[in-house]
Amino acid sequence: MSQRRFRAPNSLRDRSSLLGVTPPASGRSSPYDHHPEFTAQRYVDDLEGQNDEQLEGLSAKVKLLKDITIGIGNEVRESTVQLSQMNDAFAETSGILAGTFRRMNNMAERQGCRWLWYILFLVMVFWFFIVVWWFRR
C-alpha cells in the first residue's frame, strides 16, 4: 500500500505569514487573545515591562558597585594617612633610640668596666627575686 502525502504550498506552511507574530504563551487569558493586533501589543508591553525590571535591577547593582568603590577609595586614603603617621613615628623613635645608644656607649667608655658590674649586679638581683617568687607559689 502506498501512502500519499499532502504537500501544502509554501505560503500555507509559513505560520508567520498566516497568523502574524505569535507571542509565547503567558498563561493569561483575555477576550482579545484572538485578535493579532491586541496580542502583538500585549507582547510588546510585556517585553518592555521585563526590560524595565531588568534595567532597574542593573541600575541598583551599578549603584551598589559605585558605593563599594567609593568606600574602598575612602579606606585607602585613610590608610595612607595612618601609614604616613606611623612612618613618621617610627623614624622619630629610631632617632631617639640611636641617640640613647650613642650616649650609653659614651658613658660606657668613660666609666670603663664598672658599668658591666652594675648590669651584672642588676641581673643577679632580678634573678634572685624571680627564684624567690617561684618557690613561694
Side-chain angles (χ1 to χ4, degrees):
M1 293 196 191
S2 69
Q3 291 182 348
R4 286 184 155 184
R5 289 190 179 175
F6 174 74
R7 293 196 160 234
N10 285 339
S11 63
L12 294 178
R13 284 192 210 152
D14 188 17
R15 286 183 137 193
S16 61
S17 67
L18 290 175
L19 303 174
V21 176
T22 307
S26 64
R28 299 181 205 157
S29 62
S30 169
Y32 303 107
D33 280 346
H34 303 293
H35 299 291
E37 66 243 12
F38 293 122
T39 305
Q41 182 62 37
R42 191 179 85 208
Y43 179 64
V44 169
D45 290 342
D46 286 345
L47 286 178
E48 194 165 327
Q50 290 173 2
N51 285 343
D52 290 341
E53 289 173 6
Q54 290 179 356
L55 185 63
E56 289 173 8
L58 284 175
S59 63
K61 289 178 185 178
V62 167
K63 183 180 180 333
L64 178 67
L65 287 174
K66 180 182 175 185
D67 292 342
I68 289 172
T69 305
I70 290 172
I72 289 172
N74 291 338
E75 186 67 29
V76 166
R77 275 189 228 84
E78 291 171 6
S79 296
T80 303
V81 169
Q82 287 178 351
L83 285 174
S84 173
Q85 291 171 349
M86 284 178 59
N87 188 28
D88 294 343
F90 281 131
E92 183 180 336
T93 304
S94 174
I96 291 171
L97 286 175
T100 302
F101 188 69
R102 187 177 56 249
R103 286 191 300 271
M104 189 179 78
N105 281 337
N106 289 339
M107 181 191 72
E109 287 175 6
R110 277 187 265 142
Q111 300 239 342
C113 193
R114 277 194 297 178
W115 69 274
L116 183 62
W117 291 109
Y118 291 137
I119 291 176
L120 187 61
F121 175 73
L122 287 175
V123 168
M124 294 298 280
V125 169
F126 184 69
W127 181 75
F128 176 74
F129 281 117
I130 289 178
V131 168
V132 168
W133 176 77
W134 182 264
F135 285 115
R136 285 195 160 202
R137 280 182 32 175

